[in-house]
Amino acid sequence: WSVGADFGWSMLLGDFYFLEANKQDFNKDFGKFDPGITVNLQKWYSSAWGWRARAGWRSYSGSNGIYGFKANSAFQGDLGVQLNLSGIGNRNRNKERKDAWIVNVGFGYSWADAWVYKNGEESFKLGSDTRPQFISDSERSEKSHNTVYMPFGIEWRYRFAERWDLKLAIDAIWALDDNFDGSETAVKDEWAS
């Protein structure tokens, strides 16, 4: 068993994009490196595999032309399987390894307080009456965006003390619907009209 905490930055790639904000001055506050933190609980069944449960908070933002999107409070939780690539076939190993390469995949759920901006001004908040054209009627009545997602990633761990590891990781989240970034419909649908 082990417990841990992670700190990192989020990058959004969807209807809205990370770093796209640099193209419009009024969107300079969107699409930056947005912070996040998670805590996790892990159980290893052998040197090769185990499971992990995580819960965390993150913020993320992006922009697309005249539109910006921001989720200042996104709470997520997931459960996944971990595979230690360095531990496969190590049953008869005499020398203990200090590092490991680990891949993981799972399922999770996210709740996000989503805001959409137009020309740098607040345009839409979930649950409000005003909405841009690309927000559907059903979305207007929602209070938050709830999304089922699949997390997957790879990490490198180094044991520097008997009970302490240092971890460097990259995780991706594949949302299983299209409202992770503020709307079920793409912003480009409004531009085309």
Side-chain angles (χ1 to χ4, degrees):
W1 288 92
S2 66
V3 294
D6 302 320
F7 176 78
W9 292 269
S10 303
M11 298 174 287
L12 184 63
L13 299 171
D15 294 335
F16 297 94
Y17 301 97
F18 166 72
L19 290 184
E20 178 79 11
N22 296 334
K23 298 181 180 178
Q24 303 282 353
D25 287 341
F26 50 74
N27 279 340
K28 64 182 180 299
D29 293 330
F30 306 100
K32 297 180 177 181
F33 287 100
D34 297 302
I37 187 166
T38 59
V39 292
N40 58 69
L41 175 68
Q42 301 172 55
K43 167 68 174 165
W44 288 93
Y45 291 98
S46 73
S47 62
W49 77 279
W51 63 263
R52 173 188 73 185
R54 292 190 308 181
W57 166 89
R58 72 181 65 242
S59 60
Y60 49 91
S61 65
S63 68
N64 195 337
I66 63 172
Y67 290 99
F69 165 76
K70 184 175 280 191
N72 286 324
S73 54
F75 298 94
Q76 297 175 200
D78 56 64
L79 183 64
V81 175
Q82 298 187 118
L83 180 63
N84 181 356
L85 301 178
S86 305
I88 296 175
N90 280 347
R91 285 181 161 237
N92 299 319
R93 188 180 181 95
N94 293 326
K95 186 176 180 183
E96 184 179 316
R97 289 185 69 112
K98 290 214 176 250
D99 67 331
W101 284 97
I102 298 169
V103 294
N104 57 73
V105 65
F107 278 98
Y109 189 77
S110 174
W111 171 91
D113 189 15
W115 299 73
V116 177
Y117 297 79
K118 183 175 182 179
N119 295 322
E121 299 292 325
E122 181 184 320
S123 174
F124 175 69
K125 163 93 170 63
L126 286 175
S128 66
D129 290 330
T130 59
R131 64 185 175 96
Q133 182 178 340
F134 61 86
I135 300 292
S136 67
D137 287 329
S138 63
E139 288 177 296
R140 180 166 55 182
S141 62
E142 293 178 13
K143 300 298 183 192
S144 63
H145 276 303
N146 303 312
T147 303
V148 175
Y149 65 90
M150 285 183 66
F152 54 93
I154 186 167
E155 62 187 57
W156 175 77
R157 291 189 193 179
Y158 181 77
R159 175 165 290 175
F160 63 88
E162 184 179 350
R163 296 183 183 271
W164 294 93
D165 291 348
L166 172 68
K167 177 172 81 170
L168 299 174
I170 184 165
D171 282 321
I173 291 175
W174 178 31
L176 299 181
D177 57 30
D178 193 31
N179 65 3
F180 196 74
D181 52 6
S183 173
E184 290 181 354
T185 50
V187 239
K188 62 181 188 309
D189 293 344
E190 182 175 27
W191 301 344
S193 58

